[in-house]
Amino acid sequence: QVQLVESGGGLVQAGGSLRLSCAASGRTDRCYAMGWFRQAPGKEREFVAAVRWSGGSTNHANSVKGRFTISRDNTKNTVYLQMNSLRPEDTAVYYCAAKTTAWGTEYDYWGQGTQVTVSS
């Protein structure tokens, strides 16, 4: 089993920055990649970014490219999402997730989520 705990959410003004953290524990050796997703009220869950543990390759959604950066610290089993130039439309609950296989798009473990609210 893998446990994921997000932190770092909060209230911020438009144009500001936040850094989210996701600490992984348990069978972290089973994790192939980590991802960040977000869900706003009345909206479907949306992919934000992902990073592979071994190679560190990343992928970012077009909506956040140039503003958000995902990274990971293998020593600490922690993944980060640095969010700059925040906009009101970034307001959502942000979830950390882990996938255990290289194939498919499914993520197997999820954190509890952390609220990010951007004021205009």
Side-chain angles (χ1 to χ4, degrees), residues 31-72:
C31 295
Y32 174 78
M34 303 288 289
W36 285 99
F37 295 77
R38 65 186 182 185
Q39 187 168 26
K43 303 287 187 178
E44 294 293 320
R45 182 168 290 173
E46 175 189 20
F47 170 80
V48 176
V51 61
R52 295 179 182 178
W53 279 111
S54 295
S57 61
T58 63
N59 184 39
H60 296 79
N62 289 334
S63 60
V64 304
K65 284 181 179 178
R67 300 188 299 120
F68 293 7
T69 303
I70 190 172
S71 62
R72 87 277 189 266

Side-chain angles (χ1 to χ4, degrees), residues 3-7 21-25 28 34 76-79 96:
Q3 295 81 44
L4 306 173
V5 180
E6 302 100 328
S7 61
S21 299
C22 175
S25 61
T28 57
M34 303 288 289
K76 298 180 179 180
N77 289 321
T78 300
V79 63
C96 178

